[in-house]
Every structure is written in C-alpha cells, then in structure tokens.
Amino acid sequence: MSQRTFSIIKPDAVRKGYTAAILAEIEKAGFKIIAIKKLSISKSQAEGFYYVHKERPFFDSLTSFMSSGPIFPLVLEKENAIADLRKLMGATNPANAEEGTIRKKFAGSIEENAIHGSDAEDTAKFEIGYFFAGYELA
Ligand code: ATP
Ligand code: MG
C-alpha cells in the first residue's frame, strides 16, 4: 500500500544550489511529489517542529540553522515511503552515510545534512500537518 512521508530540503542544500539535484534523486527513486513549497521559518517555528529534540545539546544550534534561510518542505508518496526515504537519505552524519545516498552526495556536516525525513508513521503525520493544510494535499 502506498504511504506518505514528509521531507525538508534544508537551508544548507538550498543555499548551495542543490535543490533540483535532490528533487531529481527523490523522483528517480520512485517518489511522487504530492506537495512542495518554499518558505523561511522563524526560530520558534523551527523549535515547534523539532520539539522532540528540545533536551538535546544541539537543539539551539539546530533550530538556528533551520531558520537561517529558505527551505523546501515536501510531502512524498510511494510504497514503503518512510523507510525508503530514510535509506535514500543516508546516515545523519554524512561521514557515515553510504555511497550513493543524498547525504553522502550533498551534506556538509552532521548538522548541515541537506535533508530531513520522517522516522515513523506518527511523526510523518505530525510533520505533514505542521507544514501543509488538508486542501494542499487533496
Ligand atoms: P532528521 O530528523 O533531520 O531527518 P535524523 O533523523 O537523521 O535527521 P535526528 O537524530 O532526528 O537525525 O536529528 C535531527 C537533526 O538534528 C539532524 O538531521 C541534524 O541536522 C541535527 N543533529 C543531529 N545530531 C546532531 C549533533 N550531534 N550535532 C549537531 N546537529 C545534530
Ligand atoms: Mg529525525
């Protein structure tokens, strides 16, 4: 059964001009782009998105980074979308990411790692709803 997941092309990748190349990787891997937009978020909007990490030592730095420039939030659909996107992204730290993954190709560091992908069904649902209204997904 087809499944939806949520992704973000992060500010580092947008700044470096990697947006189209990353979208091409995503489409080549069989994902359908259901929704996409370009926007900049405030620090407090980034804090709301990443609230699960609020106790982590990198929370302040992460939310400053995520609000440092334009991002592209995406809703993607395919069979097994959540797990398959995580596989396509590669490890959080690009130094550990497998050859051929998006983070191996485009990420600069463990923080500025080019792309976000939901890690479970419940987080995908929350994250899609954080950035998109129902009418944008019909
Ligand atoms: P994402 O949730 O963005 O898809 P992830 O699930 O691979 O990434 P998480 O552990 O959820 O990784 O961390 C969220 C984000 O926080 C990472 O993508 C990265 O940008 C940042 N981050 C994670 N660990 C560190 C760290 N040790 N130092 C700095 N930033 C970090
Ligand atoms: Mg995560």
Side-chain angles (χ1 to χ4, degrees):
M1 222 184 70
S2 91
Q3 183 182 55
R4 286 183 178 186
T5 192
F6 177 77
S7 182
I8 297 177
I9 301 177
K10 294 186 178 183
D12 58 318
V14 177
R15 257 194 298 275
K16 292 172 182 165
Y18 294 154
T19 303
I22 292 172
L23 289 174
E25 297 278 339
I26 288 170
E27 286 197 308
K28 206 164 50 183
F31 291 88
K32 185 174 169 193
I33 298 172
I34 300 294
I36 180 169
K37 55 186 160 189
K38 183 182 187 185
L39 75 166
S40 298
I41 57 174
S42 66
K43 171 110 171 148
S44 66
Q45 287 171 326
E47 289 167 355
F49 180 73
Y50 275 123
Y51 77 98
V52 291
H53 293 311
K54 64 180 185 302
E55 307 300 338
R56 308 284 282 278
F58 56 79
F59 184 68
D60 182 59
S61 173
L62 171 63
T63 52
S64 294
F65 161 57
M66 288 301 291
S67 55
S68 69
I71 59 173
F72 284 87
L74 298 161
V75 179
L76 303 172
E77 188 175 278
K78 82 185 275 298
E79 302 254 313
N80 208 25
I82 294 171
D84 284 359
L85 180 65
R86 301 281 300 182
K87 217 179 299 165
L88 179 66
M89 285 162 43
T92 308
N93 186 346
N96 304 326
E98 275 183 53
E99 219 51 61
T101 60
I102 289 174
R103 283 171 169 164
K104 181 74 178 186
K105 288 180 188 165
F106 302 111
S109 71
I110 191 169
E111 179 172 272
E112 302 206 353
N113 61 3
I115 187 167
H116 164 82
S118 306
D119 58 11
E121 276 198 41
D122 57 338
T123 49
K125 201 166 178 219
F126 165 77
E127 292 172 356
I128 289 170
Y130 196 79
F131 279 99
F132 292 96
Y135 77 92
E136 295 175 288
L137 305 167

